[in-house]
Amino acid sequence: MGGLVGMLRSSTRPATEQVLAFLTFLSLGIGVGLLLGWATGHDPGVILGNLFEGSVGSSISIGYMLTAAAPLLLVAVGAVICMRAGQFNIGQEGQVTLGAIGAGFVVFHVDASGPVTIVLAFAGAAVAGAGWALLAALLKFGRGVDIVVSSLLLVFLAEQLLTALISGDGPLHDDGDGVLGGGTASQSPRVPEKAMLPTIHILGVDVPLAFVLALVAAVLVAWFLASAHAGYRLRILGQNPAVAGTIGISAPRLGSLAVAASGAFAGAAGAAILMGQSFQLNPGVSSSIGWSGLLIALAARTNAGVSVLLALVFGAMVAGGGLLGGDGIPVDIVNVITAAIVVALLCPPVLLAAVRRRRIRRSVEA
């Protein structure tokens, strides 16, 4: 009996420790963020109350939270694939922008039924994001250009491309039928109603289709990386490129595919934003979701399952932040709290690694 208890304890201890460490540092991050809010003259109780009410306080709030979490999760799971292959693509912000552009061309120029338009828009967004990311991969494996540098520079190029397309005589420019600034501002027309993403009513909550798709994507990516043969080859490439080469894994080919897959997911996030949140292309349509999704992947330690939880946390911060303005609290306070949470969530792996090293040293000394 004692042996069985010991086996159960040893098998569940790592997961328990990870959960406890995650919750502890998550609480610390929120606490530090609230403390910073208090230091700038704002009531931590009001901030926390608004964040709770705006994110999970009602079924409508939960719907907003899931809507905000959907594109973040898509970007994060794509970044996880890329990082597992040992490629550090940081251009998701630009790939989200290209995805929104690709979806925009379909939504505004393809005459089809609503479901067909939505499917084609996601396909166009994924292709546009993958193609934009593939440029950085080709520069790395073809010319030796650091993928960090090239993918970052492509972000700024994507933003300029978007501005050109939605300004003046651009093919995505609003010629006068837009909601605000029609015909003059740099923006696209409003997404037609048939192309707006629907919701699915589950347990009293209108769950956005984009979140369902993102959740399915996260599950498939987690399975792919853990069980699929191609996922196994990808992990070997990321862990030891030399060994990968000896068993016939082509780093340029598999690495490029991983980067392109990352861009495809980021592009799909752009479609989710256009058809589920902004409903209009404008210069800030990506709303830093590419950067936030990358942070989620980093904080999740390239774990697709953990990315789901963190995307919900980030989504809650975004949804809850909408209520702060009503009490005269700058929404920037949310960014401060979010930053504190990100820093805090980077700590558990370091702490757990230190604990493991200490246990190993003790077992050796014993």
Side-chain angles (χ1 to χ4, degrees):
M1 189 63 168
L4 179 60
V5 172
M7 289 176 60
L8 288 173
R9 184 177 298 168
S10 61
S11 63
T12 57
R13 187 167 59 184
T16 304
E17 288 177 345
Q18 289 181 16
V19 171
L20 287 176
F22 172 79
L23 292 177
T24 300
F25 279 94
L26 176 63
S27 302
L28 281 175
I30 295 174
V32 170
L34 293 176
L35 187 61
L36 291 174
W38 171 79
T40 55
H42 304 290
D43 186 346
V46 174
I47 296 174
L48 193 59
N50 283 346
L51 288 177
F52 179 82
E53 183 64 28
S55 57
V56 294
S58 67
S59 59
I60 296 176
S61 300
I62 295 174
Y64 285 146
M65 177 187 68
L66 298 179
T67 299
L72 293 168
L73 182 55
L74 284 170
V75 173
V77 295
V80 166
I81 294 176
C82 196
M83 291 178 190
R84 286 292 186 94
Q87 310 303 319
F88 201 63
N89 161 36
I90 64 169
Q92 284 85 358
E93 184 74 3
Q95 292 143 27
V96 169
T97 301
L98 258 293
I101 292 173
F105 270 105
V106 173
V107 167
F108 300 124
H109 293 289
V110 174
D111 185 14
S113 64
V116 173
T117 301
I118 291 173
V119 171
L120 291 178
F122 268 104
V127 170
W132 203 250
L134 196 57
L135 289 176
L138 294 176
L139 286 172
K140 175 183 178 180
F141 294 110
R143 297 295 178 184
V145 179
D146 192 317
I147 196 169
V148 173
V149 176
S150 59
S151 60
L152 182 61
L153 291 177
L154 284 170
V155 172
F156 300 102
L157 187 56
E159 293 172 349
Q160 296 304 315
L161 177 61
L162 172 63
T163 301
L165 290 172
I166 61 176
S167 301
D169 297 327
L172 296 176
H173 176 60
D174 180 11
D175 60 4
D177 296 331
V179 177
L180 294 173
T184 56
S186 295
Q187 62 185 26
S188 75
R190 188 170 173 80
V191 170
E193 188 174 348
K194 69 174 184 179
M196 293 180 181
L197 294 180
T199 59
I200 302 172
H201 197 69
I202 301 176
L203 300 175
V205 177
D206 289 329
V207 179
L209 177 64
F211 181 77
V212 176
L213 296 176
L215 191 59
V216 171
V219 172
L220 291 177
V221 167
W223 169 83
F224 172 79
L225 293 173
S227 305
H229 178 67
Y232 173 71
R233 292 167 61 86
L234 189 140
R235 285 189 285 119
I236 289 181
L237 175 62
Q239 292 171 1
N240 196 324
V243 172
T246 61
I247 61 175
I249 296 176
S250 170
R253 184 169 56 193
L254 192 57
S256 296
L257 287 175
V259 174
S262 172
F265 278 103
I273 295 169
L274 176 63
M275 297 188 293
Q277 294 184 26
S278 68
F279 303 112
Q280 201 170 26
L281 288 173
N282 55 64
V285 69
S286 60
S287 303
S288 299
I289 285 175
W291 303 122
S292 298
L294 178 61
L295 281 176
I296 289 173
L298 288 170
R301 306 293 291 180
T302 68
N303 186 310
V306 178
S307 296
V308 176
L309 183 59
L310 295 185
L312 289 174
V313 172
F314 274 61
M317 301 300 292
V318 173
L323 290 183
L324 292 180
D327 289 304
I329 301 173
V331 179
D332 289 341
I333 292 295
V334 175
N335 297 331
V336 172
I337 298 175
T338 304
I341 291 175
V342 170
V343 173
L345 293 181
L346 293 174
C347 297
V350 178
L351 173 66
L352 293 173
V355 170
R356 281 196 295 271
R357 286 196 298 270
R358 184 177 180 182
R359 286 177 182 155
I360 292 173
R361 186 168 60 249
R362 282 184 173 179
S363 63
V364 170
E365 291 173 355

